Amino acid sequence: MSLPSPPAVHRLRVAIMTDEIGWHTRQLQKALRARGGVGRCIDLADCEIDTSAGPHGLLLPGYGRTLPDAVIVRGIAAGSFEQVTQRLAVLHALQALGVPVYNEARAIERSVDKGMTSLLLHAAGIPMPPTWATESAARARRILVREGAAGHALVRKPLFGSQGKGLMQVGATPEGWVDLPAERSGHHYLQRFLPPLAQPGHDWRVMVIGGRAVAAMRRVSEHWVHNVAQGARCEAAELTPALAGIAEAASAALGLDYAGVDLMPAAGRHPLQVLEVNGVAAWRGLQQVTPFAVAQALVDDLIDRKMAGLSATRPQPVATAPLRAVSMRRA
């Protein structure tokens, strides 16, 4: 009499949503293997909505008629409004179908839109430079003149942007008066410039995972833009209680599972101020100056907190679960 075969062990399958495969995705795949899982890299641009294909109406490369056990969002490619809307809709739908998404689409929407980020940080009472967002060129110039009269330069930033690209110092800059670009229409996101307190200047990047600040670095540069992509060098930094507290509060204000929070030293009663909160944060520079295993911490937080209560050996119930109603409005 033959004995029944043991049940097959379900291996955790995680989709890593990314438009670039490289160091970060390899780090995540290695960390997933250490937890007995496997990570498949997928570009959200290749994901489709197809209501004829199966009960859940989604097609993800490599998953056939099933869905992954979880999703890690590592990158979303730029595109038209329609393209980006569909990519975010796929993330919204996955979450509605019971697939844990890390970070969730709504949290990413909050962090990608600098105007919404500023509003939420302000509402939470988190120190940050005075910020304005307007579609009126006349209003933007009045702000520029008023701030200039008080001796303040402004930084004009793209509403959607990262890695320090497209930043422009305007108004009463150290090099003299710089006017806003001549545009008949458009959008102006302006933030008061925080001059460096010493030379070379620096800011801090603090990594927050699962609501807890876990590592920090200083980004040092002779230039006023301190992004690593713009040539800043990374230095190890102590994660002080002050840095950790503000970074954790900023991440919580946006509802992020993980975040890279950028802070500047400043004169006055708020010696630390938040400049940006990145919901799809890179950590290669940080990993070079800290022994803390960032990718492993991300994966551990996904499995141990985000997926808590879900059986690691469960079948794929999301393949047949009905899609619950979900709002696709931007936060």
Side-chain angles (χ1 to χ4, degrees):
M1 184 174 113
S2 61
L3 295 175
S5 301
V9 176
H10 178 76
R11 192 178 186 190
L12 183 69
R13 301 187 306 164
V14 177
I16 302 172
M17 298 300 188
T18 180
D19 57 322
E20 293 183 358
I21 297 175
W23 182 87
H24 287 90
T25 54
R26 290 192 296 271
Q27 290 283 302
L28 290 171
Q29 288 173 322
K30 179 182 177 182
L32 284 164
R33 288 194 297 270
R35 292 297 302 266
V38 59
R40 176 187 292 274
C41 294
I42 298 176
D43 192 334
L44 275 166
D46 296 328
C47 298
E48 299 178 5
I49 296 172
D50 185 348
T51 59
S52 71
H56 50 71
L58 291 176
L59 287 179
L60 274 61
Y63 287 95
R65 295 173 65 85
T66 67
L67 294 176
D69 297 298
V71 169
I72 297 174
V73 183
R74 173 60 220 129
I76 303 174
S80 68
F81 179 77
E82 290 83 359
Q83 289 172 317
V84 173
T85 297
Q86 173 161 314
R87 293 164 195 170
L88 289 169
V90 169
L91 296 180
H92 278 296
L94 284 164
Q95 183 180 341
L97 287 162
V99 179
V101 179
Y102 190 95
N103 280 309
E104 297 176 3
R106 191 166 295 282
I108 291 174
E109 289 168 350
R110 295 183 187 118
S111 65
V112 167
D113 179 346
K114 290 185 177 66
M116 179 56 68
T117 296
S118 298
L119 278 175
L120 291 171
L121 294 179
H122 178 70
I126 296 169
M128 58 178 291
T131 302
W132 302 266
T134 177
E135 294 186 43
S136 167
R139 169 69 174 153
R141 286 190 170 83
R142 285 197 295 272
I143 294 167
L144 193 70
V145 170
R146 186 186 69 210
E147 286 289 296
H152 302 302
L154 299 178
V155 178
R156 184 176 188 266
K157 301 181 180 181
L159 189 65
F160 306 106
S162 61
Q163 299 184 327
K165 297 176 182 177
L167 271 59
M168 178 182 182
Q169 201 174 150
V170 293
T173 76
E175 290 75 32
W177 183 264
V178 177
D179 202 358
L180 290 167
E183 295 178 350
R184 293 184 178 179
S185 63
H187 187 277
H188 300 276
Y189 176 90
L190 303 169
Q191 193 169 70
R192 185 179 291 172
F193 174 65
L194 295 180
L197 301 184
Q199 289 294 340
H202 75 277
D203 69 2
W204 289 276
R205 161 62 64 90
V206 178
M207 196 75 177
V208 179
I209 300 176
R212 183 173 65 91
V214 296
M217 69 173 174
R218 289 190 353 145
R219 302 186 300 187
V220 182
S221 176
E222 299 288 347
H223 195 269
W224 62 272
V225 179
H226 299 128
N227 296 77
V228 175
Q230 302 301 319
R233 70 176 185 271
C234 302
E235 294 182 352
E238 178 188 1
L239 181 56
T240 65
L243 282 172
I246 294 178
E248 290 169 0
S251 179
L254 273 63
L256 292 162
D257 292 313
Y258 77 99
V261 183
D262 298 338
L263 304 101
M264 277 282 289
R269 65 191 186 96
H270 295 301
L272 289 174
Q273 298 196 26
V274 174
L275 291 183
E276 293 189 10
V277 183
N278 194 321
V280 192
W283 66 89
R284 188 168 189 174
L286 176 62
Q287 192 64 82
Q288 292 171 351
V289 297
T290 179
F292 185 85
V294 176
Q296 193 63 61
L298 291 168
V299 167
D300 290 346
D301 184 54
L302 166 66
I303 296 172
D304 298 335
R305 180 187 60 83
K306 190 82 170 178
M307 301 184 71
L310 298 178
S311 172
T313 59
R314 66 177 173 86
Q316 292 283 308
V318 291
T320 57
L323 178 62
R324 300 191 299 273
V326 58
S327 170
M328 295 298 179
R329 292 181 299 171
R330 294 182 63 82

